[in-house]
Amino acid sequence: MSRAYFVVLALATALVVGVFWQTTSARPFFYDEADYVYAGTRGFVNNYLDRPSLSTVEFILQGLSLARDKSQNSSKSKLIRSAGDITFYRHYHGPMYAYWIALCQAAGCRDASDYRASGLLIHALVTGLIFWFFRIAFPEYPPVAAFAAALTFLLNRTALVAATGITQHVMFGLMAALTLFPLSLFCRTGERRFWYLTAAALGLAFATVETSFILVAAVIFVLGLNGARTGWKPALQLLWKGTLVFLAAVLVVWPKGVLALGGLKGYLYLGYMAVVRKTFTPMGPLSLWSFKIRTYPEEFVLVGLALLAVTVGWRKLAARHAVQPYLVFAWLFIAATMVITLPYVYYLDALLVSCAVITGVAFGELWKSTATRIVAS
């Protein structure tokens, strides 16, 4: 039965990818896109080694200078660009998405539309992973629930916007899926191997984009909840051992992120843009969410209702422990948007990964209760 649903899902995915690939914009790269593609096309080795780039100390000194005198912004930008600082062109994000751009270049991508459409391949991969991960993590529910979860993500406008742009957030959506799945199995089984897989995937997420701090917080929060249930001493042991695995994973994919504190640059830059440059929208968080829901209700109402229903009825769920990581991540992500009021749609891609799974759980519960009533009658 699972295979039949997956075949239908695969056909739907191929159709969506094919249609959107043909209609992806071919306009010239805009500012962020041009920088990301330039960094990625410098190749794997240069991004792996952050070569060339300012040292973290020099980066901090330049930042302090800018904070004191904002009029230097243009001259500092020209100085760093002329030096070819590859971390600057990545906007101080980790290199995981730059590796993807380098891979696309090696595969023959040349046009702006090809680089943008390449995100659809990641979107398709996440769709398939949601289906199979759901089947493994939530065996209580029928295959149609996994299909509903995957289809919710596949057809969501926010996810498709991220998939047809040049942005690290489409890669972060994949990393969120890879992190939350083993964490779900850890909550379900208590097996430590799943915790270490979670920590390793979290390291990859950290090397992707700074939004990963929400995922880090969610993982630690879930470990705390698990510790309250099973004991604090084992939880603390898992925390420090998981930290070592996390650092090892970052070291493998981004050595300068650990050895040269390259990961610190991204968070300092994020703080600078928020506090000094004030790049957040002037809209308040509630006004921003209200605008999103009123403008595109179909992409938020369904998943929003599922999130509320699963949260309220959590104690009665057949898979309440397994769904816990997805709920925690979703609510922490929403809480972060109350402070980080960025209007860009693609920032929410990882949130939709979690909400799609939660929607599948809600659908599975509804399906089971309906089937039970039919049998009883």
Side-chain angles (χ1 to χ4, degrees), residues 130-144:
I130 287 174
F131 179 86
W132 289 112
F133 285 174
F134 193 100
R135 292 295 297 134
I136 297 169
F138 303 100
E140 301 90 347
Y141 304 124
V144 68

Side-chain angles (χ1 to χ4, degrees), residues 13-346:
T13 301
L15 178 62
V16 169
V17 170
V19 169
F20 277 86
W21 196 294
Q22 296 298 320
T23 58
T24 299
S25 174
R27 69 180 186 275
F29 299 121
F30 66 83
Y31 175 75
D32 286 2
E33 290 184 322
D35 283 352
Y36 298 154
V37 171
Y38 176 82
T41 54
R42 295 312 92 193
F44 172 82
V45 174
N46 286 328
N47 280 283
Y48 184 75
L49 298 175
D50 284 353
R51 187 178 64 189
S53 65
L54 295 176
S55 70
T56 302
V57 173
E58 180 63 21
F59 171 81
I60 292 173
L61 292 175
Q62 294 285 354
L64 292 173
S65 174
L66 274 177
R68 288 191 294 267
D69 183 4
K70 297 178 186 178
S71 65
Q72 298 182 48
N73 184 64
S74 178
S75 61
K76 293 288 186 183
S77 177
K78 290 179 181 178
L79 174 66
I80 296 174
R81 286 181 182 276
S82 65
D85 188 324
I86 200 165
T87 61
F88 175 86
Y89 283 99
R90 292 201 315 252
H91 295 196
Y92 302 106
H93 301 314
M96 293 298 290
Y97 185 67
Y99 297 158
W100 175 255
I101 295 294
L103 179 62
C104 291
Q105 181 190 37
C109 284
R110 296 293 180 268
D111 300 329
S113 60
D114 289 337
Y115 281 111
R116 291 190 181 104
S118 69
L120 289 165
L121 299 179
I122 299 176
H123 182 73
L125 175 60
V126 174
T127 298
L129 289 176
I130 287 174
F131 179 86
W132 289 112
F133 285 174
F134 193 100
R135 292 295 297 134
I136 297 169
F138 303 100
E140 301 90 347
Y141 304 124
V144 68
F147 180 78
L151 199 65
T152 297
F153 181 77
L154 174 66
L155 300 179
N156 187 272
R157 173 186 167 273
T158 292
L160 285 166
V161 168
T164 52
I166 298 173
T167 171
Q168 284 83 2
H169 294 276
V170 67
M171 180 65 72
F172 180 56
L174 172 60
M175 296 306 160
L178 292 175
T179 303
L180 292 172
F181 168 63
L183 184 59
S184 177
L185 290 179
F186 170 71
C187 290
R188 184 183 190 93
T189 68
E191 294 184 27
R192 295 191 171 200
R193 58 177 173 151
F194 295 126
W195 168 252
Y196 297 130
L197 285 172
T198 299
L202 191 60
L204 303 185
F206 179 81
T208 303
V209 70
E210 292 70 45
T211 319
S212 60
F213 80 89
I214 306 173
L215 192 56
V216 172
V219 169
I220 295 173
F221 192 89
V222 169
L223 180 63
L225 293 176
N226 191 72
R229 182 164 53 94
T230 62
W232 288 107
K233 186 176 180 180
L236 291 174
Q237 290 176 341
L238 287 173
L239 179 61
W240 77 263
K241 290 181 179 179
T243 301
L244 294 179
V245 173
F246 168 85
L247 291 174
V250 178
L251 190 62
V252 168
V253 298
W254 185 23
K256 287 291 188 73
V258 176
L259 301 178
L261 299 180
L264 181 62
K265 288 184 180 180
Y267 288 98
L268 291 173
Y269 180 69
L270 180 65
Y272 167 76
M273 296 298 286
V275 177
V276 179
R277 295 289 299 278
K278 295 181 172 61
T279 55
F280 295 163
T281 174
M283 296 176 67
L286 296 181
S287 298
L288 184 59
W289 271 108
S290 175
F291 173 77
K292 289 178 180 293
I293 293 171
R294 283 187 286 105
T295 305
Y296 296 102
E298 67 278 1
E299 66 180 310
F300 292 113
V301 171
L302 175 63
V303 296
L305 289 174
L307 176 59
L308 289 172
V310 172
T311 301
V312 172
W314 176 77
R315 289 186 179 278
K316 298 180 180 179
L317 297 178
R320 60 183 180 276
H321 295 308
V323 77
Q324 200 171 62
Y326 297 96
L327 286 173
V328 170
F329 178 66
W331 284 115
L332 286 181
F333 202 113
I334 292 170
T337 66
M338 297 294 108
V339 179
I340 306 174
T341 53
L342 290 166
Y344 310 114
V345 172
Y346 49 78

